[in-house]
Every structure is written in C-alpha cells, then in structure tokens.
Amino acid sequence: MDSQPQEIVQPPDEWKLEQGMAGAELRLLDDTKPEDIPGTEESNQESPFKDERKGWLGYIEWEKYPEKKELAAAILAKHVFPPPPEFQLGPIPDTNPVLEGVRWKLWHKAIGGDLWSVPEESWLRVIQEKHKDMLHLLQFPYNGEPPKRLVTAKSITPNSLHFVRNHGGIPNINASDFYLELDGLVNNPKKITLAELQNEELFPRVQKTVTIQCSGTRRIEQINEYAGEGDEMINAPWAEGAIGTAVWEGVSLKKVIKYCGGLSEGGKHLEFYGADSYFKQSIKFIIHNVDPDHHQGNLMNYVVSVPWSKVKANEVILAWSMNGEPLPKIHGFPLRAVVFGYIGARSCKWLYRIKAITEPSRAPVQSREYLYFNQQVGKHNQSYTRGIQIQEMPVSSAIMEPWNKQVVVHGGILRVKGWAYSGGGRWPERVEVSGDGGYIWYEVPQENLSKKHKFAWRTWHIDLPVDAEGWIELTVRCWDNSLNTQPSFVRSAWNWGLHVTSSCHRVKIYSINKSRPDTSARLKEFEDRGTSLTPITRPTEFRTQTDEDYEKYWQTHDPRDVDD
C-alpha cells in the first residue's frame, strides 16, 4: 500500500485558492527550486421509521413499502424548509465544509426515528476515514474531494483521499449480518451472504484497476462561466478532484447472475439498490409554497441500473475490497458495485439488492438526474426526456499544478502536472499541453505518463518550454485510443445540469522567467530587501529605477514627443 501523503495545516479556503478565486492569497510557486509538497431536540422514539434489519444501522427500506413513502411525504408536508443555498450567482463561502446541507439535515430530523442521528454519524465517519485535508464541498450528504496538490500525487488513489459523492447518510452494516438479494427476471432468485460471495469455489475473484469519475468533475468551470441548476447536492461545485483510481477486488456480476440460473425472458437491465436513504425535493420552502402535484417530498433508497450488455462483458464487479483493504464504510462497505467506464453514479454503494428488469430503471436518479441537455434547455423549458442519460464518460483531462492565477517563477521550463481519462473502455493515448492558450501544443512524453489501463486514468507531467512573461494560459487536452479529444472551450460543454465538463482545462498563471537577466536581477532585489513579490497586484514597495538611470536613458534615446 502507498504510504500516506505528508500532512500539513490546511487553510480553510484552499478550495477557493485552487480555483484562482482568491489569487492575492496564493503562495508563490518557484519552479526553479526543489519541489516542496506540504503535506436539539431528542429523536421521536414513536417514529415508525426504524432500522430494517438486525446489524444494518442507518438502513430503512423504502422501495417495498409505498405506504411508508406516503407517510414520510405527509410528515415532510407539515414542515417548512429553507431553499437551496445560492452558491453560483453569489459568493462561495470561505469555509471547509463549503456548504452545510441544512435542508438535508432538517429532512432527516423531520422524519425522525433512526434517521434522526444519521447526519451526525455520517460526519463522524468522514472524520474517521478521510484524510484531514479533504475539501468538504458538502457536509451532508457528504461530498468531498482531495486538495489539488494531492489528487495525482500517486497514480493509485489512497483510500483516504479518494473522492466521495454520497446522496444520503452512511449506513453501518455488519458483514456477518449482510446478504445480497437477487430477484426480478432471474430464473432462480437468491439471497447470497458476503461469505458466499467470497467463496472462491463458487465465484472466481476479480481484481481490476478502475477509475471512478463523477459527472460533476470540474463543474466549477461551468459555474464560473454561466450559472445553471443549483441544488447543493445534485449540482455540488466540484473542482478537478472528483475522480479517483483504485484497485477493486470482488466478483463479476455476470458470474453471480449465472449462479442464479441466468436471466429469464425479458431481462435486459440490472437495477441496483443502495441502503442509503435519498430525499427528493420537499413540498414547502420558506420563500414560497410549491404545488405538491409537481414537487412531492418523498424518500427512497438509492436506485440505478445498467444494461445486461455491460454486465455480460464482465465490466461490472461486486467489490468488497479497495486497494487491498476492506471497503471503507464511506465507500460502500460491505459491498458495492463498480461499473467500469461509466459515470460514478452507477457504481452503487451499500448494495443490498439487484433486480433484473426489462427497461432502464425509472427511479429518479436514473431517469430524472444525471441528464445532459442541449444548451437551449433550462429552467424555462426542461423536461426529463430532453436530456441524455449519462453513462460512459467522455475523454477529459485537467491540470493539477500550477494553480489558476498563481504567480510562477521558472527558468524557461515550467513543470506542469495533471490527469487524463476516457470512459467506456477507452484510455488516454496522448496528452498535449499548451503554454499559449492552445495555439502550439507540446506532447507529454510517454515515459511521463502513468501505466496504461483499459478503464483507468493516466497521471502525467511535462517540462513545458515557456519563454513568455506576464499572464499566460496553460491548456491541456487528451486524445484517447479512438482519437476522441476535447472541446476547446467550456462554453461548448456547458449544460443546464452542469454535468460532464469535458472541455480543455485552462489555467491562467503569471509567468516570471528567471532566465532573463533583468528579471533575475529584480527577483534578487526583492529577496535582498525582504519584500514579497506576491500578491502581484500590490504596488512595488521600492523605486524600480534610480534618477540617474532614468536620466541616462533619455540622454541616449529619442524623447517621447518630437517637433518635426
């Protein structure tokens, strides 16, 4: 296992620093020196909403009990909840967590019972299992990514640094009490324990290096360009760290379906059920009442589906191990799906049921969320069927170093680092970086790319020739093995849901080329005077030219104005 990255004291606004939203506070990056990586009320005990099974804490079954859903909706209808926070048209908080998830916490409190304490228990799990420098975009349901300086520190993401995209609380399920239910259009429905799944006489084990990417990766670029839909959980303001790569171990779902006698007639899709409770929009908001016929407040389990063709190709595994260790609870212990090359939302965590069905799931996460709309579709005309359900992820890449709006001192060669990925069983074949916004491209040497895998990213670095000084724009693009590449600008990728920011990633930096004699002399003067070069916008605190030098110049050059 990789050792943990060096720990440092993390500034609370690191997320804003990374994105260039607080450029005046960015530390100077000197590329000519050796690299330094710094490391209320009590629960309602009369509530009917109790843990469903012995040893399954935080799991309430909703899908089998319509009457329970109706009761929950009726309870929510009696309360008034705050609207989503504004984080697109207004300033993003300088806090970590960036957003709190107040509505989601209040929904759990309103339902009560065994959901009452889920927000607090889930946050405790974050503190226990995730790296202390994680950037917490949403406290509850927890959404977090590693800081940019650690995203590609290793080609295999340590468990504590792997991004987390949750839609509800974090169930706490005992492995010995767990079983997986397989039903629907299978010939022999079964309940299979974890011990049976791990029995190699029944199922051969599979180990696979797979990248999981959230469709919201790099969403902040779309937000900065044009605002879109703004639910704090569904449209969380992800940066470049909502992607991670791990070695997953488990069994092929294809083998498990075969163990159940195969699919019966009409079975074409596999529906995954997660044990977490997922709330949809509640009926009332503080600012106005919403028509309950159109916006029902209800609860459900997390449900998505994948086609049988994906399973048949052995591209879905049921995993219980992550990087050689048991699945962390925050990542789905004791069992989760890992769907190769698909949007991360299909890799269902806390998987407790798989149902074979005839068509893609009609559950909200599959049919009403994670949709890619045309740019003319928005709040004024949106309907679910106008969006493409996102499955395979397109080719994408990102620059992890330097950071946007950072002042960089270099000697004519600039070290640039990042990641590149393509979904659907395609892989990065070539990565190119430009120092002038995309006019001239330099290829990343193959030896500077991490090992090639069919379903995983490649981390990369390049020593980029940069002569220019002042503001320049670094740009990266990837070509996959099918010669797919990325749109040039984020405007081309913008959509109302702010999903799949696949455009070329662009980072503006202030370039200071130390190989130029005048620049080198001025940098030494700053150093000798003990004066900081940053923030770059602060006026120089000493005179930059003596009177003698000034007069000498005009003695040997034409004056500013002439008479003839």
Side-chain angles (χ1 to χ4, degrees):
M1 290 296 297
D2 293 329
S3 59
Q4 289 294 329
Q6 182 179 353
E7 295 186 349
I8 69 160
V9 177
Q10 180 193 38
D13 59 348
E14 181 161 349
W15 182 84
K16 292 185 73 172
L17 290 173
E18 290 184 354
Q19 297 306 313
M21 297 179 184
E25 301 171 27
L26 268 177
R27 65 181 175 87
L28 176 70
L29 176 61
D30 191 341
D31 215 40
T32 65
K33 295 182 178 180
E35 183 176 28
D36 178 22
I37 301 180
T40 76
E41 303 169 13
E42 293 297 322
S43 171
N44 178 8
Q45 297 301 320
E46 301 304 317
S47 170
F49 307 110
K50 302 293 185 182
D51 290 328
E52 191 73 17
R53 301 172 184 170
K54 175 182 176 294
W56 292 50
L57 303 179
Y59 159 60
I60 295 177
E61 174 61 46
W62 300 102
E63 302 310 310
K64 293 182 178 180
Y65 307 118
E67 67 279 5
K68 191 185 293 187
K69 286 188 174 186
E70 292 176 5
L71 177 58
I75 292 174
L76 292 174
K78 297 176 182 178
H79 296 271
V80 177
F81 300 97
E86 180 54 68
F87 58 91
Q88 296 190 38
L89 297 177
I92 294 181
D94 291 327
T95 54
N96 191 20
V98 178
L99 302 170
E100 185 181 348
V102 173
R103 295 186 304 151
W104 302 82
K105 293 179 180 180
L106 291 177
W107 288 336
H108 280 71
K109 301 300 183 185
I111 294 300
D114 290 321
L115 289 183
W116 175 271
S117 59
V118 164
E120 292 76 21
E121 292 168 354
S122 293
W123 180 242
L124 179 61
R125 189 67 60 193
V126 173
I127 301 303
Q128 292 171 341
E129 294 189 349
K130 302 311 292 183
H131 193 283
K132 71 180 185 65
D133 288 343
M134 286 288 283
L135 305 179
H136 312 302
L137 299 185
L138 182 63
Q139 187 179 44
F140 184 79
Y142 183 68
N143 284 251
E145 61 184 309
K148 191 178 290 191
R149 57 189 163 80
L150 297 178
V151 172
T152 57
K154 299 181 183 298
S155 59
I156 300 297
T157 311
N159 291 354
S160 66
L161 285 169
H162 200 288
F163 86 98
V164 179
R165 201 287 194 258
N166 287 344
H167 294 72
I170 301 170
N172 186 5
I173 303 173
N174 292 332
S176 58
D177 294 313
F178 173 82
Y179 62 85
L180 174 67
E181 183 177 358
L182 292 102
D183 62 357
L185 298 175
V186 292
N187 288 315
N188 298 308
K190 292 182 181 292
K191 293 180 179 179
I192 307 175
T193 66
L194 185 62
E196 289 172 327
L197 285 172
Q198 294 175 336
N199 183 349
E200 295 188 72
E201 294 183 1
L202 294 176
F203 306 106
R205 294 194 179 185
V206 175
Q207 248 190 18
K208 196 74 173 179
T209 301
V210 177
T211 292
I212 294 180
Q213 182 184 19
C214 178
S215 71
T217 310
R218 297 176 47 201
R219 175 175 284 137
I220 189 61
E221 297 167 51
Q222 293 196 53
I223 291 174
N224 287 338
E225 190 85 3
Y226 304 103
E229 194 168 36
D231 183 291
E232 73 271 36
M233 192 282 291
I234 298 172
N235 313 103
W238 293 101
E240 302 87 3
I243 184 171
T245 300
V247 179
W248 307 92
E249 183 176 355
V251 298
S252 171
L253 177 54
K254 179 182 178 181
K255 299 292 185 182
V256 177
I257 296 298
K258 182 179 179 181
Y259 181 71
C260 295
L263 298 181
S264 58
E265 185 176 355
K268 294 182 179 180
H269 296 264
L270 283 305
E271 193 172 46
F272 300 153
Y273 290 69
D276 45 334
S277 290
Y278 183 31
F279 285 72
K280 287 300 290 181
Q281 192 171 27
S282 63
I283 293 175
K284 294 180 182 177
F285 294 114
I286 285 176
I287 53 175
H288 62 279
N289 290 331
V290 180
D291 182 355
D293 292 333
H294 292 85
H295 292 272
Q296 294 184 351
N298 55 45
L299 283 96
M300 62 202 74
N301 297 109
Y302 185 86
V303 180
V304 291
S305 68
V306 297
W308 166 243
S309 59
K310 187 73 174 172
V311 177
K312 189 177 180 180
N314 283 312
E315 293 179 359
V316 181
I317 63 173
L318 309 182
W320 57 74
S321 173
M322 181 179 182
N323 291 331
E325 299 177 354
L327 270 178
K329 293 184 186 299
I330 200 170
H331 285 288
F333 180 88
L335 192 71
R336 69 171 295 165
V338 177
V339 183
F340 307 169
Y342 267 29
I343 177 179
R346 308 299 178 235
S347 292
C348 179
K349 298 187 286 288
W350 310 290
L351 181 66
Y352 72 92
R353 182 186 180 193
I354 299 176
K355 181 181 180 181
I357 55 179
T358 58
E359 297 178 333
S361 175
R362 296 300 192 258
V365 177
Q366 186 80 26
S367 62
R368 288 186 257 161
E369 299 172 14
Y370 300 102
L371 303 174
Y372 196 90
F373 293 104
N374 175 272
Q375 292 185 350
Q376 296 191 55
V377 174
K379 193 172 184 177
H380 59 288
N381 63 357
Q382 175 185 346
S383 60
Y384 306 127
T385 51
R386 297 188 72 174
I388 301 170
Q389 293 183 14
I390 304 168
Q391 299 280 58
E392 294 183 355
M393 293 299 289
V395 61
S396 184
S397 59
I399 295 170
M400 294 294 101
E401 186 182 302
W403 293 357
N404 196 35
K405 298 185 182 178
Q406 191 161 31
V407 179
V408 183
V409 177
H410 58 88
I413 298 294
L414 181 64
R415 174 61 64 97
V416 185
K417 301 177 181 179
W419 57 259
Y421 174 67
S422 189
R426 296 172 294 275
W427 55 87
E429 193 63 37
R430 178 191 296 164
V431 177
E432 298 173 329
V433 180
S434 170
D436 59 4
Y439 290 94
I440 298 175
W441 296 92
Y442 293 85
E443 182 177 355
V444 175
Q446 285 295 313
E447 58 269 24
N448 292 356
L449 287 159
S450 62
K451 184 179 179 181
K452 189 185 298 183
H453 294 277
K454 187 175 182 180
F455 293 101
W457 71 1
R458 302 183 78 179
T459 59
W460 55 266
H461 67 271
I462 185 174
D463 292 326
L464 184 71
V466 174
D467 180 63
E469 295 193 288
W471 287 108
I472 65 172
E473 187 173 69
L474 305 178
T475 311
V476 62
R477 69 182 179 190
C478 172
W479 299 82
D480 69 14
N481 61 302
S482 297
L483 297 185
N484 298 308
T485 192
Q486 302 171 242
S488 294
F489 299 99
V490 69
R491 171 60 180 161
S492 302
W494 186 90
N495 60 97
W496 177 245
L498 306 173
H499 293 291
V500 191
T501 312
S502 59
S503 54
C504 293
H505 189 216
R506 297 172 179 272
V507 171
K508 296 179 175 66
I509 67 167
Y510 194 86
S511 167
I512 298 178
N513 190 344
K514 198 175 181 178
S515 68
R516 295 187 176 186
D518 288 349
T519 297
S520 180
R522 177 55 51 80
L523 291 176
K524 187 175 187 308
E525 189 171 4
F526 272 100
E527 184 176 351
D528 291 344
R529 291 175 178 271
T531 302
S532 175
L533 185 65
T534 55
I536 200 68
T537 53
R538 183 175 297 163
T540 306
E541 298 175 4
F542 55 87
R543 293 185 63 176
T544 60
Q545 191 173 17
T546 66
D547 291 341
E548 181 181 359
D549 285 343
Y550 186 86
E551 294 299 334
K552 183 178 180 180
Y553 175 87
W554 291 117
Q555 290 172 8
T556 57
H557 291 77
D558 288 338
R560 165 62 177 83
D561 299 307
V562 295
D563 296 329
D564 55 18

